[in-house]
Amino acid sequence: MLKIVLLGAPGSGKGTQSATLVEDYGVPQISTGDLLRSAVADQTDLGKKAKAAMDAGELVSDDIVVGMIHERLNQPDTENGFILDGFPRSQAQAEVLDELLDDLGRPLQCVIHLQVDNEELVNRLMARGRADDNEDTIRNRLSVYQDQTEPLVAYYEQRGLLKPVAGVGTVDQIHARIKDALAGI
Ligand code: AP5
């Protein structure tokens, strides 16, 4: 059983680290970014609504994202847990998540906060080259993170759920740090 959130700025390694944690713990990664990109690629109504915000590095509206998460967390493969990657991203989303997990009787065990400085984040994202990895969008994603998502560090710290992890070094080194943090929960 593992019920965690990976919290961190764009490029901090949430997706990269989720991939190995999925193998370690046998629980699904739930990435709102991946779900949204797949809706955009399939040109669904939801994808068409989300695309402009994603291209600009803004948050997609809560009604879209919360609806997706609600549906995903009600699927049976999440019964033994989940790794949330990229959700929640605002206090409103965090409050909805608390309610949703309360209803399901599956409260969060911890929130891993991947800490990486801005220069390293920009270098990683510029090197990757995803559709939203151009300079203007990266700048806006980092600023949206700082304004809307970073306050969740204090939100989860107050609830005793926050585990800070240095997100620099090799992927394996960071993975080992996360495993250490999870060993204590
Ligand atoms: P999302 O897909 O969540 O993007 P993001 O948060 O900007 O995160 P990234 O995928 O860029 O970074 P990551 O932390 O996963 O790092 P990664 O492992 O990929 O969201 C995209 C958009 O969707 C948002 O802007 C928004 O519009 C919308 N959205 C999503 N969720 C939403 C929500 N809840 N509410 C509203 N809107 C939402 O690594 C990045 C790069 O670094 C890779 O190339 C990787 O290979 C490399 N890397 C990883 N680790 C290391 C390392 N240790 N050393 C060197 N390089 C590394």
Side-chain angles (χ1 to χ4, degrees):
M1 176 70 87
L2 186 76
K3 297 164 296 175
I4 64 167
V5 167
L6 289 189
L7 179 66
S12 59
K14 303 181 297 294
T16 304
Q17 294 299 328
S18 294
T20 46
L21 294 172
V22 162
E23 285 176 24
D24 293 340
Y25 293 93
V27 295
Q29 169 203 17
I30 302 179
S31 156
T32 39
D34 287 348
L35 292 170
L36 287 165
R37 274 185 291 280
S38 140
V40 170
D42 293 343
Q43 299 193 331
T44 63
D45 286 347
L46 186 153
K48 285 177 194 157
K49 283 185 197 151
K51 187 174 184 313
M54 294 175 76
D55 286 346
E58 295 292 330
L59 294 189
V60 171
S61 68
D62 279 351
D63 57 334
I64 291 183
V65 177
V66 166
M68 272 178 6
I69 280 286
H70 187 275
E71 191 183 323
R72 186 65 188 87
L73 283 173
N74 275 289
Q75 287 169 13
D77 65 331
T78 65
E79 269 165 23
N80 287 324
F82 46 78
I83 298 163
L84 286 171
D85 157 8
F87 185 93
R89 255 174 150 95
S90 63
Q91 170 132 356
Q93 290 185 5
E95 287 170 3
V96 168
L97 179 65
D98 285 344
E99 279 170 30
L100 189 53
L101 294 179
D102 260 7
D103 289 348
L104 291 167
R106 280 183 253 152
L108 278 182
Q109 290 167 297
C110 87
V111 174
I112 299 283
H113 177 211
L114 287 173
Q115 299 176 311
V116 180
D117 67 47
N118 263 25
E119 195 185 336
E120 171 74 8
L121 295 171
V122 172
N123 288 341
R124 287 184 189 177
L125 296 175
M126 290 301 284
R128 178 174 60 181
R130 201 170 71 192
D132 56 348
D133 286 340
N134 61 75
E135 205 174 333
D136 285 350
T137 307
I138 290 172
R139 199 175 304 117
N140 199 35
R141 281 159 64 200
L142 292 174
S143 145
V144 167
Y145 175 79
Q146 205 170 4
D147 292 348
Q148 303 195 47
T149 311
E150 208 160 59
L152 293 182
V153 170
Y155 179 90
Y156 285 120
E157 196 165 29
Q158 277 159 17
R159 284 160 179 71
L161 290 173
L162 195 76
K163 303 262 185 201
V165 169
V168 287
T170 67
V171 170
D172 286 349
Q173 284 169 335
I174 300 160
H175 176 232
R177 287 179 208 138
I178 295 176
K179 295 274 291 203
D180 279 351
L182 293 177
I185 62 175

